[in-house]
């Protein structure tokens, strides 16, 4: 038989006994491996979950906290919001620091590194340019060998009581940090593998930065506009505040010529004039444009930029409320952060005495002692950005190692900064300062590639002779705002409240007030510069002593205030504080334009004039008011436009009968905001200098018209949307509302005209432009929402995604999904009371929000309500990470317990901190 022939009668290998046993062993081995793999995955999951949970704060039982003189109770409600009870001030603030660190250590650590210009230590070389700019500003405290001490005073300059409370807080925070690290740290902290202890407290940069950038950006933009527009056109784009239609906060009063103090009953003096620094910016477009780019790259954690950003607060006296007592509301607007900037907390002395002086609750900043916004047992207070111009850009003539000042060359004051980079080499920069401040233009990409040069000693980087830009800012000097927070927390009446507000230097805020005796009030505090010359609207020449600031700022006694105004309510929402033409000090020329404030004023006035009383529910509903002022102005005009294209006409009909409210499910709101965005682009965007252009999403690249059915149009726009365009869009804030309001009745105004575009005809007047905007918006929304307009909704365009401000911004997608939350489809919009802001230059996504909301029932504290944007915890997988966000998005508020009995009823966990 051939060797390769198989005998069918012989047993095969598979049927041999040895083979059978071997096959069973293989199958058994595979089974064991599968079981081991399953067990490993299970153990890994268990280990991961248990490790994550190990980092969560202990909220029950007892913990020893070194340095306490007695027990401190930490009572948390169902949302993890703590109420602290102690017998001394030192114990109370030590415990506050500990509890902040339990929930928010990683957030505090990141913010501390950010404001100190040390993000590169945590996140690597991608943050070097940001660090370099922030180091140049000098926001960090206590610079060794630096030019000045920084924005917080040296210890010896602080009152001993303030220093003691601050140090107690820091020691408690250090203890909480140490405990967090030994328990593994938060999930995002472990992922970053950093263990850096916080060593300082400072007023968070996010409260100082937004208004600062807005004024700086306005100065830069006005200067750049001169390259293409004449002065009349620039005035069109920066109109005067509309005092006739949008009332300021304080509508009467003046600085008395007799007492020299502000008097609510005094008559105003003559109109105040001012000079500008026109012409000082010649030859500086490159530096200013580069500086604008640098400002755009500063992290969102410092706050968003734009002229629509602000906050709402108002107070109604008991004469006009259903409770018979004052009602006070507040909702500050900030970039959406995860976790929220705010941390809700109560600080209670079991018995208020000389050694324990606090019984207060509200919103705190993790990283800083005290309560920033809230109430105590006697008064309630809220705040919004006053908007005072506390920054000036100075144009410097530089040469070699010095700068020109009054025809003499003065040497720069220089310092070397070393930026440590995780995973990379240290970078060195040299900061140069003039008598006006640091040269911020040194940090622009065009003028200084950080890391390419490593100057030694005091030698400045190699710079060409010519111009540079210096920044003068009140926040770069030490201040007393920490003193003010402590004092406001203890205030008992309007007199002590105003005395506390005197130290509220930076940031300059509108402070509203109410007390249990039935009084309401307002105070404008802050360090506000007095300019020798100029009005802050353009960069000033730094080479002459004619400009600059006087040594003393506007005296506190001359700042506007109100106490029990006759109208019975006070509204602050970033509008003008007082008619600037009738007030002797220049606060700013760039107020918010009063859209939100006037809507709130109108809602309250309508109630009162109708003989109705304002309730807590009314205050809550006002906070969620979605009315669009610009829609009320433009929709009647848009409906008059004759549209022949049936698809565009179909969209136009959405506006018929619309009540101008921007609810999440509103198709009309979606379409109108698309039209508004395209009006801005067509009328203004393409006429602005290229230096002002912002990367958009291709709305300036139109699809071909009349070239096919809707499906084809849809495809063309969708393809466009996948490419980056260089859009010259305005941001669409309420300044642009006023710009359009001033010209809307002028059909032939030059702003409405535009040359032909491709196969499209030129725009000859307003109606031509409106027709084009209606058409462009139809195709833009077709690309974004589909061709069937019955499926359109504002919320599908206007979405909020909460991004963790550390690894959730630029980390891997898997990490982002783990740390970030959302999206939520929101109502509201730009300059609405429910200010879910969006920037028309880049799209409809929500870029700033009411970061919290509260309605305080003054005197009946336990009937107050509040909500946070996210939750108490900064731990990504904790139940309290975003457990308030759904309610926040729906306009709901939570009960706010304050009294001992109410707190006891709401408590679900109690932790005792022991000496």
């Amino acid at each position: 038989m051939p060797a390769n022939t198989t005998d069918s009668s012989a047993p095969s290998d598979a049927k041999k006994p040895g083979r059978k046993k071997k096959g069973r062993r293989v199958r058994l081995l595979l089974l064991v491996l599968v079981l081991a793999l399953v067990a490993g995955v299970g153990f890994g999951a268990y280990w991961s979950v248990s490790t994550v949970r190990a980092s969560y704060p202990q909220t029950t039982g007892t913990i020893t906290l070194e340095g306490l003189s007695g027990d401190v109770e930490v009572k948390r409600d169902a949302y993890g919001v703590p109420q602290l009870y102690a017998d001394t001030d030192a114990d109370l603030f030590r415990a506050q620091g500990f509890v902040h660190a339990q929930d928010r250590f990683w957030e505090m650590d990141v913010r501390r590194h950010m404001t100190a210009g040390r993000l590169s230590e945590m996140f690597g070389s991608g943050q070097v340019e940001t660090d370099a700019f922030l180091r140049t500003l000098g926001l960090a405290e206590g610079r060794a060998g630096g030019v000045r001490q920084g924005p917080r005073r040296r210890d010896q300059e602080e009152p001993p009581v303030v220093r003691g409370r601050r140090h107690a807080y820091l020691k408690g925070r250090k203890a909480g940090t140490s405990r967090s690290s030994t328990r593994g740290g938060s999930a995002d902290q472990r992922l970053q593998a950093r263990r850096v202890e916080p060593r300082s407290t400072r007023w968070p940069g996010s409260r100082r930065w937004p208004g600062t950038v807005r004024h700086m950006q306005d100065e830069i933009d006005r200067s750049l506009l001169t390259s293409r527009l004449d002065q009349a056109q620039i005035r069109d784009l920066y109109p005067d505040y509309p005092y006739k239609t949008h009332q300021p906060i304080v509508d009467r009063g003046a600085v008395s010529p007799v007492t020299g103090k502000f008097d609510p009953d005094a008559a105003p003096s003559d109109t105040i004039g001012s000079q500008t620094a026109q012409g000082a910016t010649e030859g500086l477009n490159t530096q200013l444009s580069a500086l604008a780019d640098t400002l755009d790259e500063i992290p969102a954690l410092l706050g968003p930029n734009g002229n629509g950003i602000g906050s709402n607060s108002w107070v109604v006296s008991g004469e006009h409320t259903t409770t018979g007592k004052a009602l006070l509301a507040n909702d500050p607007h900030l970039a959406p952060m995860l976790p929220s900037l705010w941390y809700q907390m109560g600080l209670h002395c079991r018995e208020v005495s000389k050694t324990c002086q606090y019984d207060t609750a509200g919103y705190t900043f993790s990283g800083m002692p005290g309560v920033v916004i809230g109430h105590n047992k006697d008064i309630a207070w809220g705040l919004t950005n006053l908007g005072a111009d506390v920054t000036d850009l100075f144009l410097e003539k530089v040469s070699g190692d010095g700068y020109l000042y009054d025809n003499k060359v003065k040497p720069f004051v220089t310092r070397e900064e070393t930026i440590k980079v995780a995973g990379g080499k240290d970078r060195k920069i040299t900061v140069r300062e003039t008598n006006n401040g640091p040269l911020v233009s040194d940090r622009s990409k065009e003028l200084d590639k950080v890391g390419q040069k490593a100057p030694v000693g005091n030698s400045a980087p190699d710079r060409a002779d010519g111009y540079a830009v210096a920044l003068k800012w009140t926040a770069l000097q030490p201040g007393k705002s920490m003193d003010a927070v402590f004092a406001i927390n203890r205030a008992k009446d309007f007199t002590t409240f105003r005395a506390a507000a005197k130290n509220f230097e930076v940031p300059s805020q509108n402070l509203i007030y109410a007390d249990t005796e039935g009084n309401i009030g307002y105070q404008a505090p802050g360090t506000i510069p007095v300019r020798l010359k100029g009005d802050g609207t353009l960069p000033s020449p730094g080479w002459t002593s004619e400009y600059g600031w006087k040594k003393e700022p506007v005296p506190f006694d001359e700042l506007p205030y109100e106490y029990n105004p006759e109208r019975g309510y006070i509204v602050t929402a970033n509008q003008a504080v007082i008619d600037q033409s009738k007030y002797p000090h220049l606060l700013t020329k760039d107020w918010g334009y009063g859209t939100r404030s006037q809507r709130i004023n109108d809602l309250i006035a309508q109630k009162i004039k109708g003989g109705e009383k304002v309730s807590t529910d009314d205050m809550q509903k006002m906070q969620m008011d979605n009315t669009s002022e610009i829609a009320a102005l433009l929709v009647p005009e848009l409906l008059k436009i004759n549209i022949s294209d049936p698809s565009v006409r179909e969209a136009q009909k959405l506006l018929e009968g619309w009540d101008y409210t921007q609810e999440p499910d509103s198709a009309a709101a979606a379409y109108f905001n698309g039209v508004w965005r395209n009006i801005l682009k067509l009328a203004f965007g393409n006429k602005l200098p290229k230096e002002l252009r912002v990367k958009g999403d291709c709305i300036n690249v139109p699809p071909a018209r009349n070239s096919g059915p809707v499906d084809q149009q849809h495809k063309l726009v969708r393809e466009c949307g996948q490419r980056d365009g260089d859009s010259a869009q305005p941001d669409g804030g309420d300044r642009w509302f006023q710009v359009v309001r001033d010209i809307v009745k002028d059909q032939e105004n030059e702003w409405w005209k535009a040359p032909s575009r491709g196969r499209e005809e030129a725009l000859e007047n307003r109606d031509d432009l409106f027709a084009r905007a209606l058409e462009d918006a139809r195709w833009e929304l077709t690309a974004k929402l589909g061709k069937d307009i019955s499926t359109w909704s504002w919320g599908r365009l206007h979405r909020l995604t909460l991004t963790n401000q550390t690894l959730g911004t630029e980390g891997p997608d898997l990490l982002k999904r783990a740390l970030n939350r959302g999206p939520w489809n929101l109502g509201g919009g730009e300059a609405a009371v429910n200010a879910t802001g969006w920037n028309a230059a880049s799209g409809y996504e929500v870029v700033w929000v009411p970061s919290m909301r509260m309605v305080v029932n003054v005197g009946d504290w336990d009937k107050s309500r509040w909500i946070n944007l996210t939750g108490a915890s900064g731990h990504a997988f904790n139940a309290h990470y975003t457990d308030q966000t759904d309610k926040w998005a729906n306009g709901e508020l939570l009960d706010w317990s304050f009294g001992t009995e109410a707190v006891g009823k709401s408590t679900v966990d109690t932790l005792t901190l022991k000496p």
Side-chain angles (χ1 to χ4, degrees), residues 793-806:
S793 71
W794 176 225
R796 287 179 60 202
L797 281 177
H798 192 55
R799 309 181 88 188
L800 168 67
T801 298
L802 291 174
T803 303
N804 187 288
Q805 293 299 303
T806 56

Side-chain angles (χ1 to χ4, degrees), residues 256-557:
S256 169
V258 177
T259 65
K261 299 179 179 181
F262 187 87
D263 182 349
D265 296 320
S269 59
D270 295 336
T271 299
I272 307 300
S274 62
Q275 294 174 293
T276 66
Q278 293 176 6
T281 61
E282 293 179 6
L284 275 162
N285 277 10
T286 300
Q287 287 92 332
L288 292 172
S289 180
L291 177 57
D293 291 341
T294 301
L295 297 178
D296 286 341
E297 293 173 2
I298 300 302
L301 196 59
L302 279 171
N305 182 24
N307 61 55
I309 303 168
S311 305
N312 301 323
S313 70
W314 66 95
V315 60
V316 183
S317 73
E319 178 186 358
H320 301 298
T321 67
T322 57
T323 65
K325 300 177 181 179
L327 295 174
L328 185 149
N330 197 186
D331 55 286
H333 306 157
L334 296 168
M337 302 178 189
L338 184 60
S340 167
L341 174 72
W342 302 106
Y343 185 94
Q344 296 151 291
M345 179 178 274
L347 301 174
H348 307 278
C349 290
R350 294 188 180 97
E351 183 178 345
V352 177
S353 64
K354 289 184 179 179
T355 57
C356 199
Q357 304 177 64
Y358 295 85
D359 189 12
T360 183
Y363 293 87
T364 70
F365 285 140
S366 52
M368 193 182 90
V371 172
V372 179
I373 298 174
H375 69 82
N376 59 31
K377 65 185 181 62
D378 298 307
I379 74 164
W381 69 95
L383 57 84
T384 62
N385 190 358
L386 189 147
D389 189 354
V390 296
T391 63
D392 275 339
L393 295 175
F394 284 84
L395 311 181
E396 307 285 4
K397 292 181 178 180
V398 300
S399 177
D401 292 329
Y403 61 97
L404 188 67
Y405 187 71
D406 283 346
N407 297 317
K408 295 181 180 179
V409 176
K410 300 185 67 174
F412 294 114
V413 176
T414 63
R415 70 177 188 276
E416 186 178 85
E417 295 274 359
T418 299
I419 300 173
K420 296 184 180 299
V421 182
K425 295 181 179 180
D426 292 355
R427 309 290 182 89
K428 293 183 182 293
I429 63 169
T430 298
V431 177
R432 304 185 295 174
E433 294 194 11
T434 73
N435 58 347
N436 289 312
L439 294 184
V440 289
S441 58
D442 280 359
R443 299 284 79 83
S444 67
K445 288 183 179 180
E446 285 80 357
L447 302 178
D448 178 24
K449 296 293 185 182
V450 177
Q452 287 187 359
K453 298 181 182 298
V456 180
N458 287 329
S459 61
D462 183 18
R463 307 272 189 240
D465 293 349
Y467 290 105
V469 182
L471 171 65
K472 198 173 186 70
W473 182 17
T474 58
L476 299 184
Q477 300 301 323
K480 302 177 182 178
S481 292
M482 186 78 75
D483 305 22
V485 171
F486 286 131
I488 289 175
N489 288 184
R490 302 191 311 272
K492 297 180 180 299
D493 52 32
F494 195 58
T495 299
T496 52
F497 178 77
R498 288 193 72 213
K502 186 173 184 178
N503 286 329
F504 210 117
E505 297 174 334
V506 177
S508 183
Q509 300 286 298
N510 296 305
L511 295 176
I512 59 167
Y513 165 95
D515 63 36
T516 55
E517 299 299 317
N519 303 301
I520 65 173
Y522 162 81
Q523 176 66 56
T527 299
I528 302 173
V530 178
R531 293 170 175 83
L532 295 170
K533 192 176 181 181
D535 59 12
T537 60
L538 288 169
S540 298
W543 51 83
T544 169
S545 58
E546 293 180 12
Y547 289 84
W549 296 353
K550 291 184 178 180
K551 184 176 181 180
E552 297 298 326
V554 176
F556 178 79
D557 286 341

